[in-house]
Amino acid sequence: MSAHYPNLFSPIKIGNVEVPNRIAMMPMGVFSPRLMDLKTGAYTKDGADYYIERAKGGTGLIITGLVPIIPLPGMNPVNFPEEYVEKLSYLTNGIHEQGSRIFIQLTAMTGRAAWFEGDAPTDTLPAPAPIQNVWDPTITNRGITKDEIHAYVRNFATAASLVKRAGGDGVEIHAVHEGYLLDQFAISFYNRRTDEYGGSLENRLRFAREIVEAIHEQCGDDFPVSLRYSVRSYVKDFNRGALPGEKFVEVGRDLEESLEMARLLESYGYAMLNCDNGSYDSWYWPHPPVYMPKACNLDDVMKVKEVVDIPVVCAGRFDDPDLAEKVIAEGKIDMMGMGRPQLADPEIANKFREGRLDDIRPCISCHQGCLSRIFQHKDISCAVNPACGREKSMAITPAETVRRVAVVGGGLGGMEAARVSALRGHTVDLFEKTGELGGVFVWAALLDFKEDDRRLLAWYKKQMVDLGVNVHLNTEATADTVAGYDEVYVATGATERHLDTPGFDSPNVTYAIDTLSAHDEFEGDDVVIVGGGLTGCEIAYDLGRKGKHVTIVEMTETILNTFGLAAANYNMLMDLLDYYHVRVIKNAVVQKYEDGVAYVEETEKNYPNCANRAKRMFALGPQGEKLMHKIPADHIVACVGYTANQELYDQLAKTVDAAHLHLIGDAIRPANVMEAIWTAYETAIAL
């Protein structure tokens, strides 16, 4: 038990399984062949080590990512029982050696949320009844047959028995959650069946009931079965989610039905409800981006605890141990669920226990290293923790030879290179030409919803102090400065691009960095933002919610065309721009800014069914002229990207041996937080 958080670190029973504390690692998809055996569905040693590292970090209950039990040839524990048990035992034994417990999450997969690529058949993953596909509404997923339902039920029970044989402490059924197949059965909006699996609430839950009953019959009543549970759907219509605080008519599961459903699920024999919110149609609820409030699901989850006696877990940007301690002490929930914070810092539970909150490397809710990589068919990892998913191969180990290391540039990339080098035992000097560490990230973190960015920046600064990095502020490094060092990192970042548009020399025109540092001082209500990338759209959202009339002008045919931007982040930001009435003009440029007016010319017009660029037509006015908008603009914000700053690197390349000169971060190419940190980590760990 912890003196800091006695309730959070008190044991709890799930069925007859005692978990040593109230912190649970939430399930997140692990599908890459390096981490999961795509034949059996068991985790490889690399995948097991990823989970074991979180148990070693003090997490009481590990709930793995989903394991498909689809009754088809291919990956499925049921199809390779002995091999699955043998391989899974390495994971279960490793978790138990750390004193933690492990539940394996089993899933019927996606139904109408099936993600089809290329020529993949459209009938392999059925829905409750014929219904449009989430990702491609032109596809209709077919209805599942009763024989297939019964086959799923048998597979769930058999897979659970294999988990038990392999030493697992329980299973979690990915059931009434996120709009996956079993959740589609539970919600009348998706379930159009007229047989015993449709209609009444009890009928819509029949599939989930048959699963838990079959597991208990095969594994015994003492083998606990958790259920992953979305309390409310937050769905307005197909592929239309509802924002926090938005007034809307729920077409999915509302709170009243949810509470009745929770009572029924407990009566069926489920031993725990692992709760969040949302559906594929409102994907930013189960995968909350940076724009979501902290602990966004807590109010709804606490309502569930009022009607059931079994343990209730709450997840969703829930990383505050003080809040968790309070609501657990009050009996409002039973366990704190964390997913992405465990990726960012596998030691987070131990640091809670020891009261070392300032030493926690925070998740910044970007989804770049986790959800986005899953959809790129890559290993799950973390933007701020490059060793996530590579716990053995990318572990920081002492250097064979201690060296003198110079790092030029104190942004995130520079500080990461300094941190890793210092941890390996090198002597490190970091040179920063300004009076503050952080680079452009200082300004990006100023938006009020970027509190975790500010925490990350504070964490890096503390690492510099704790690791004894010699930081030289207000020092512009030259070739003479770094002479004599064994290794030199150049992390000089990038420089903002400027436009030569007539009128853009006005004091009412600012670029991203100056805007982020002073946007609360804007006079007037009308703002035009030039550039619809991530930075421009985030500034537009921030100004829109503060009552400004905002127009985004983007020269290409799409906004938010940012590599690695996850669908949850994209969808929520797009919905926020719409909610705050941000106008978007695409295929357009600002020709001039004069007398408080931005003259915006549309260069092309896209028609809905014209994918071929050659088929597009110019946007013409009634006399055949290009369409020109005159938009009132008290202020113009230009967010048109950055150019890598390689001037010092080019100079040093003439005098420093190339094997000992390392270009990292935005100085290679302007990208994102993940690329800056990863290039620094991977370079520093390889020396």
Side-chain angles (χ1 to χ4, degrees):
M1 190 176 295
S2 166
H4 298 279
Y5 303 106
N7 291 284
L8 185 58
F9 286 92
S10 64
I12 184 173
K13 278 199 167 185
I14 304 168
N16 69 336
V17 171
E18 184 168 281
V19 178
N21 61 52
R22 307 298 184 99
I23 297 175
M25 180 180 181
M26 293 293 91
M28 291 167 285
V30 176
F31 295 119
S32 63
R34 194 178 64 80
L35 300 178
M36 175 179 267
D37 177 6
L38 299 187
K39 173 185 174 184
T40 66
Y43 294 98
T44 66
K45 286 193 174 182
D46 284 333
D49 288 336
Y50 153 78
Y51 287 114
I52 293 168
E53 190 74 9
R54 275 75 200 165
K56 182 179 178 182
T59 298
L61 175 63
I62 303 294
I63 306 176
T64 69
L66 45 81
V67 176
I69 53 82
I70 304 168
L72 290 169
M75 181 177 71
N76 187 337
V78 175
N79 296 333
F80 309 95
E82 301 307 318
E83 190 174 348
Y84 177 76
V85 169
E86 179 183 356
K87 290 183 175 180
L88 186 63
S89 297
Y90 175 83
L91 170 59
T92 59
N93 291 337
I95 296 296
H96 292 154
E97 286 173 5
Q98 302 301 327
S100 300
R101 300 291 176 260
I102 181 168
F103 282 21
I104 304 298
Q105 189 184 78
L106 306 175
T107 183
M109 284 302 287
T110 50
R112 67 175 286 264
W115 182 22
F116 298 107
E117 290 187 330
D119 297 324
T122 60
D123 62 351
T124 54
L125 296 175
I131 194 171
Q132 69 185 62
N133 183 263
V134 170
W135 301 105
D136 185 352
T138 66
I139 292 175
T140 298
N141 290 75
R142 69 173 176 85
I144 192 172
T145 67
K146 289 184 185 180
D147 286 344
E148 288 174 315
I149 292 173
H150 300 155
Y152 270 108
V153 171
R154 289 192 299 271
N155 274 10
F156 271 109
T158 302
S161 71
L162 297 177
V163 171
K164 184 177 181 180
R165 281 180 55 197
D169 299 292
V171 292
E172 178 167 280
I173 306 306
H174 192 221
V176 187
H177 181 253
E178 201 179 332
Y180 280 76
L181 178 62
L182 292 173
D183 198 21
Q184 292 160 36
F185 269 86
I187 297 173
S188 59
F189 183 62
Y190 308 114
N191 185 344
R192 310 296 172 82
R193 299 178 73 98
T194 57
D195 60 10
E196 66 268 32
Y197 291 95
S200 69
L201 180 58
E202 288 82 357
N203 279 357
R204 287 183 274 123
L205 288 177
R206 188 180 302 277
F207 200 164
R209 178 175 186 167
E210 290 178 349
I211 289 169
V212 69
E213 290 176 345
I215 292 173
H216 283 157
E217 182 177 352
Q218 194 155 336
C219 299
D221 291 338
D222 61 345
F223 188 66
V225 183
S226 170
L227 183 136
R228 188 75 161 130
Y229 187 51
S230 295
V231 180
R232 296 173 62 184
S233 300
Y234 286 96
V235 174
K236 297 187 289 188
D237 204 343
F238 289 113
N239 284 338
R240 292 191 63 206
L243 295 166
E246 182 179 1
K247 293 182 179 180
F248 71 104
V249 176
E250 176 69 76
V251 301
R253 180 165 47 254
D254 62 19
L255 185 59
E256 181 180 2
E257 182 178 65
S258 180
L259 298 182
E260 178 58 28
M261 191 175 289
R263 294 186 189 96
L264 288 170
L265 292 167
E266 179 179 23
S267 73
Y268 297 159
Y270 283 100
M272 183 173 79
L273 296 179
N274 183 9
C275 301
D276 60 7
N277 277 317
S279 170
Y280 262 89
D281 300 278
S282 55
W283 221 34
Y284 40 75
W285 282 96
H287 303 279
V290 62
Y291 319 112
M292 269 285 188
K294 286 284 192 165
C296 52
N297 301 315
L298 183 59
D299 287 344
D300 290 329
V301 176
M302 290 191 299
K303 294 291 185 183
V304 171
K305 183 57 188 173
E306 293 177 4
V307 301
V308 298
D309 294 322
I310 55 176
V312 170
V313 186
C314 178
R317 295 203 80 199
F318 190 19
D319 59 359
D320 181 348
D322 293 294
L323 177 59
E325 173 72 13
K326 178 178 183 295
V327 294
I328 289 172
E330 294 171 348
K332 294 180 177 178
I333 64 167
D334 298 290
M335 297 188 76
M336 175 190 204
M338 291 186 292
R340 292 169 296 164
Q342 298 258 10
L343 306 186
D345 194 332
E347 287 281 329
I348 191 169
N350 283 339
K351 291 175 181 178
F352 283 172
R353 182 193 299 271
E354 297 160 8
R356 296 166 48 215
L357 304 190
D358 290 343
D359 289 328
I360 294 170
R361 175 172 43 196
C363 164
I364 60 173
S365 300
C366 66
H367 282 127
Q368 289 171 346
C370 49
L371 190 62
S372 179
R373 284 176 61 84
I374 291 171
F375 274 77
Q376 296 169 39
H377 306 291
K378 296 178 180 178
D379 298 337
I380 190 172
S381 192
C382 177
V384 302
N385 178 17
C388 177
R390 304 184 288 181
E391 280 68 25
K392 301 292 187 183
S393 62
M394 295 299 286
I396 297 174
T397 56
E400 294 182 3
T401 303
V402 175
R403 301 175 183 177
R404 292 186 67 219
V405 175
V407 178
V408 181
L412 294 190
M415 287 193 286
E416 179 70 358
R419 182 186 77 90
V420 176
S421 297
L423 283 169
R424 300 195 66 209
H426 299 306
T427 300
V428 185
D429 286 274
L430 186 153
F431 301 94
E432 167 56 41
K433 69 178 181 179
T434 72
E436 183 177 7
L437 293 173
V440 297
F441 196 70
V442 171
W443 314 116
L446 288 175
L447 292 167
D448 61 9
F449 53 86
K450 296 290 187 78
E451 66 267 37
D452 286 325
D453 285 17
R454 295 189 289 276
R455 288 176 58 211
L456 179 64
L457 190 55
W459 179 82
Y460 266 114
K461 290 178 179 179
K462 188 174 189 296
Q463 297 305 300
M464 298 301 97
V465 174
D466 292 351
L467 295 172
V469 174
N470 303 309
V471 176
H472 307 271
L473 298 177
N474 299 306
T475 303
E476 186 164 4
T478 65
D480 291 338
T481 308
V482 301
Y485 285 90
D486 301 309
E487 306 289 339
V488 179
Y489 291 92
V490 179
T492 46
T495 304
E496 278 189 289
R497 290 194 180 102
H498 282 219
L499 299 172
D500 58 3
T501 304
F504 273 32
D505 55 354
S506 164
N508 292 346
V509 177
T510 55
Y511 288 81
I513 291 176
D514 288 339
T515 302
L516 289 166
S517 62
H519 66 281
D520 284 335
E521 301 172 13
F522 285 180
E523 295 182 0
D525 292 328
D526 298 312
V527 181
V528 170
I529 295 179
V530 181
L534 182 59
T535 300
C537 288
E538 287 188 339
I539 291 174
Y541 155 55
D542 187 56
L543 294 173
R545 69 192 177 120
K546 292 174 179 174
K548 304 293 185 183
H549 305 140
V550 184
T551 300
I552 295 173
V553 178
E554 167 56 43
M555 68 181 299
T556 70
E557 61 186 294
T558 57
I559 63 171
L560 287 176
N561 187 22
T562 302
F563 179 77
L565 185 64
N569 296 53
Y570 174 90
N571 290 345
M572 185 166 188
L573 188 49
M574 291 291 283
D575 283 357
L576 286 166
L577 294 177
D578 182 61
Y579 184 76
Y580 288 106
H581 309 293
V582 173
R583 181 185 183 190
V584 178
I585 305 176
K586 293 173 283 189
N587 291 316
V589 296
V590 177
Q591 294 289 8
K592 65 178 179 178
Y593 177 49
E594 184 177 271
D595 297 329
V597 175
Y599 291 78
V600 177
E601 182 180 77
E602 290 192 51
T603 57
E604 293 178 335
K605 187 72 172 179
N606 289 324
Y607 288 88
N609 298 319
C610 291
N612 187 339
R613 187 175 181 85
K615 293 181 180 179
R616 298 186 197 124
M617 300 178 64
F618 287 112
L620 304 179
Q623 306 302 319
E625 74 278 9
K626 290 185 181 180
L627 192 59
M628 182 72 74
H629 303 274
K630 296 180 181 180
I631 303 174
D634 299 307
H635 200 100
I636 288 183
V637 178
C639 302
V640 291
Y642 295 81
T643 302
N645 186 353
Q646 299 181 359
E647 183 178 351
L648 178 63
Y649 179 83
D650 292 339
Q651 292 175 7
L652 295 178
K654 300 173 184 177
T655 58
V656 179
D657 187 332
H660 304 290
L661 180 64
H662 315 283
L663 189 66
I664 58 175
D666 284 353
I668 301 174
R669 61 181 177 275
N672 51 40
V673 168
M674 179 172 171
E675 187 154 340
I677 291 174
W678 279 44
T679 58
Y681 186 96
E682 291 175 346
T683 304
I685 206 170
L687 290 180

